[in-house]
Amino acid sequence: MTLINGLPAHVLLVHVVVVLIPLSALALVTAALWPRAARRLGLLLPVLAFVALVSVPLTTQAGEWLERHVDDDALVRRHTELGDGLLPWALGLFVLAAVVWWAGRRAPAQPGQGSGMRWSALPVRIVVGVFSLAVAVGAVVDVYRIGDSGAKAAWHDAYSKTATGPKDHDD
């Protein structure tokens, strides 16, 4: 991945990661803590987390291409280092989303029905809920840190702190 419609692919693909990782994290925590939500989300939960997972290395590869085409800068290097750490979080989101989906589909819709795994068992829900919350928070915080460092790298000297254009737009 290099360019999309003349723009560096990274600056476009990053939006996919910035939307899908937090969305996957929110869906995971909701489904892990609320079994009815897990059943309602169904296959959408692991599919969403999988698309988020796949978007991370695509965005990272596009970012590495872009890094080779901009001036060497400490802020860019910091952003690249942070970006390399997102894949394990995205993988964790996907694995836990698959577990929650699988367990949710095996659980009976109503207590006392069926012979599937007892997803509603409190200890299982607590463990999965704690892991899901920890991975979700870690992933979202990492996306924030990466995005913040990327914005600083891209914009640190690229604008004037004082307005340079006309202040009155009623002309």
Side-chain angles (χ1 to χ4, degrees):
M1 279 275 174
T2 56
L3 299 174
I4 297 175
N5 201 24
L7 293 173
H10 180 72
V11 299
L12 299 172
L13 291 173
V14 73
H15 292 88
V16 175
V17 172
V18 167
V19 169
L20 292 186
I21 293 291
L23 188 60
S24 296
L26 178 62
L28 171 62
V29 169
T30 301
L33 299 178
W34 188 20
R36 186 173 178 187
R39 286 190 298 276
R40 289 193 113 155
L41 284 169
L43 192 58
L44 178 62
L45 178 63
V47 168
L48 178 65
F50 180 74
V51 173
L53 172 62
V54 169
S55 71
V56 170
L58 291 176
T59 304
T60 302
Q61 288 173 350
E64 288 170 357
W65 177 88
L66 181 58
E67 181 184 23
R68 292 188 302 271
H69 291 85
V70 297
D71 293 336
D72 187 36
D73 182 90
L75 293 173
V76 172
R77 286 191 304 274
R78 175 72 176 144
H79 175 64
T80 301
E81 290 168 8
L82 288 172
D84 289 339
L86 184 58
L87 189 58
W89 292 113
L91 181 60
L93 286 174
F94 171 68
V95 168
L96 284 165
V99 167
V100 168
W101 166 75
W102 184 80
R105 73 187 251 297
R106 304 264 313 165
Q110 298 294 326
Q113 293 180 353
S115 60
M117 184 176 99
R118 294 196 52 217
W119 176 243
S120 62
L122 191 57
V124 173
R125 284 186 47 212
I126 289 172
V127 169
V128 172
V130 167
F131 279 127
S132 296
L133 187 59
V135 171
V137 168
V140 171
V141 167
D142 209 32
V143 166
Y144 171 81
R145 292 176 63 223
I146 295 163
D148 182 60
S149 70
K152 287 176 180 170
W155 291 98
H156 72 283
D157 282 334
Y159 68 96
S160 173
K161 293 186 181 178
T162 59
T164 59
K167 291 182 183 184
D168 187 10
H169 296 284
D170 294 335
D171 297 334

